[in-house]
Amino acid sequence: MERLLERLRRLRASAEAWFGALAPRERTLVSAAAAAVVLFVLFLAGTAVSRGISAREARIEAKTRVLSQVGKLAASYRAAQGERQALEARLKGRPVQLMSHVSQTGAALGIEVNDLRPTGAPVETEGLVEESVEVSLPRLDMGRLARLLQALEGGPGVVKVRRVRITTRSDDPALVDVTLVVATYGLGS
């Protein structure tokens, strides 16, 4: 360490001697050149610092975007979990008597539901039991059909309209004949 300091002192002394030997005009030129070199070094250092700050700001912005996406994904996951739990609660609820549900829903909307046929025995798949019924509804307008479909699926339990077949009528174009397949789902035993 002392050797280094000694070398620096000798270097400084020789630089002062060299500078002292210069003419006044040469001293001015050397001083201007030294000032230019110092300013250039400061400019390079400032540019490097500026780039470093910009790079850090860009990384912070990228990480903020990632955190925002994580927050959105977490919120959508919580929403999906809530929907899943609500659906499971509906599946665990009291089983829906499908034929009664369809006829009562139709009666509540002023639609006469007389032609109900079960499509077969209940089917169990992957822990779910599906029971379905085919319903024929003649001479129905589209508004009442839409209300019936909403009421059937919006009732208790898990009830879905799996198929809708609409046939137009030649005697009254405002009315249609409809055949529905309505299914209810519950947890298997």
Side-chain angles (χ1 to χ4, degrees):
M1 182 78 169
E2 278 185 38
R3 288 176 129 179
L4 181 63
L5 288 175
E6 185 60 34
R7 283 175 99 182
L8 287 175
R9 283 187 197 127
R10 272 189 266 138
L11 187 62
R12 181 176 169 205
S14 67
E16 285 177 357
W18 175 79
F19 190 70
L22 294 176
R25 182 174 177 202
E26 290 173 336
R27 282 187 207 152
T28 306
L29 288 175
V30 169
S31 297
V37 168
V38 168
L39 287 175
F40 183 69
V41 168
L42 289 176
F43 172 74
L44 289 179
T47 303
V49 168
S50 176
R51 283 187 190 152
I53 290 172
S54 296
R56 283 185 182 221
E57 286 176 348
R59 285 194 302 271
I60 289 171
E61 188 175 315
K63 288 178 181 181
T64 303
R65 276 194 308 271
V66 168
L67 286 175
S68 173
Q69 289 173 343
V70 167
K72 288 176 185 175
L73 289 174
S76 67
Y77 176 76
R78 283 191 297 273
Q81 284 294 95
E83 290 174 14
R84 182 184 63 80
Q85 289 172 350
L87 183 59
E88 284 178 357
R90 286 177 64 191
L91 285 170
K92 290 177 184 176
R94 197 171 57 99
V96 175
Q97 300 301 318
L98 189 57
M99 294 182 87
S100 298
H101 175 66
V102 171
S103 60
Q104 289 172 358
T105 303
L109 295 172
I111 300 171
E112 190 173 321
V113 180
N114 293 329
D115 191 4
L116 293 161
R117 292 178 302 284
T119 58
V123 178
E124 184 168 346
T125 307
E126 297 179 14
L128 292 177
V129 176
E130 175 189 11
E131 180 184 345
S132 59
V133 63
E134 185 175 273
V135 183
S136 295
L137 303 166
R139 302 186 55 81
L140 196 62
D141 66 82
M142 294 303 277
R144 287 176 30 179
L145 174 61
R147 286 190 296 277
L148 176 65
L149 295 176
Q150 287 177 341
L152 285 173
E153 290 189 351
V158 180
V159 178
K160 297 291 175 193
V161 178
R162 288 192 29 222
R163 185 175 44 211
V164 178
R165 186 175 68 222
I166 299 174
T167 310
T168 58
R169 297 183 60 87
S170 58
D171 61 335
D172 189 352
L175 300 177
V176 293
D177 292 335
V178 180
T179 303
L180 305 173
V181 174
V182 182
T184 185
Y185 299 91
L187 292 178
S189 47

